Each structure stands twice: as structure tokens, then as C-alpha cells.
Amino acid sequence: MAALPVPVPGVAVRYWYVGACGPFALFDADFEPPGPGGESEFLNLVPARLLPPEYADALWEGIREGLGSTSAAVLLTHGRYHEADSSEWGFRRAGEMAGRAALVRAGLLPPEEGPPERYVRPPAG
């Protein structure tokens, strides 16, 4: 398994459909190279009242899918859900976009293989 070679801070995903009901997932995450065992790990700093555990778990599943065979340490720093429009599927999809965005920003994927720009905020700076 390959490891994320460089830190990728501030991956911000805003996944929702404006003007209609649909999936809603909002979060910020920092990606780092994995620790000494080389395994992927996930640390969630968001309180459950802002992001229930079932959505955080689905998000982590999606991030792992998006990273594919690349391992990384992921720190979830912000997250929100919507009582009516959020779903595990939406958070899984948003997590996949975040994983792919991290790979693009780390230089492991070409930009055209990354997520749609309308959902993932470009890096600051």
C-alpha cells in the first residue's frame, strides 16, 4: 500500500443540491502521511451533536474508497449535517470526493480525475 507523501491540509467538501432536497454533507479534513505502522487512521474532532457517529463512520468509509490503495492519517476538524437531507450515502459520497481531492493535491492523481470543483473548495492561498 502506498502512503500519502505530503500533508494536505484543509480539504473542505460542501456536498448538497441548491434549491432542492437532496444529499447534504459538509466537513473539513486534514490529510497527513500515515504514522509509524503505515496504516490509515481517522480522528474525529467534531462533536456528535454536529455530526452523528453514523455519518462520521460513513464519511470515513468514503474517504478510504477515495484514497484507494493510498494510506493516510485523516483529522476531521469540522462537520455538519442536515436533519432532513443528510444520509449515510451522502456522507460516503462526500468522503470519496475528499479522498480523491487529497490525492490530487498530493500530486498522485491528475486534476481531471479529482472531484467536481463545485463540491470541493480549492486550497487556500
Side-chain angles (χ1 to χ4, degrees):
M1 178 176 275
L4 192 71
V6 296
V8 181
V11 175
V13 177
R14 309 297 189 253
Y15 184 48
W16 68 75
Y17 297 128
V18 176
C21 294
F24 178 95
L26 183 146
F27 64 90
D28 296 347
D30 295 331
F31 289 73
E32 296 278 338
E39 296 294 320
S40 289
E41 56 186 320
F42 181 67
L43 178 61
N44 179 3
L45 298 181
V46 181
R49 67 181 168 74
L50 297 178
L51 186 65
E54 63 270 19
Y55 295 144
D57 292 344
L59 174 61
W60 178 226
E61 287 176 31
I63 288 172
R64 287 193 314 249
E65 289 173 24
L67 289 171
S69 63
T70 303
S71 61
V74 181
L75 176 66
L76 186 64
T77 59
H78 175 74
R80 298 294 289 225
Y81 79 105
H82 186 273
E83 196 169 297
D85 292 331
S86 289
S87 67
E88 291 178 34
W89 177 87
F91 272 94
R92 217 173 10 259
R93 177 76 177 109
E96 185 179 345
M97 285 189 255
R100 294 189 68 74
L103 293 177
V104 168
R105 292 183 193 173
L108 299 175
L109 276 182
E112 58 272 10
E113 291 186 33
E117 290 182 10
R118 69 182 183 197
Y119 297 125
V120 180
R121 186 172 61 210

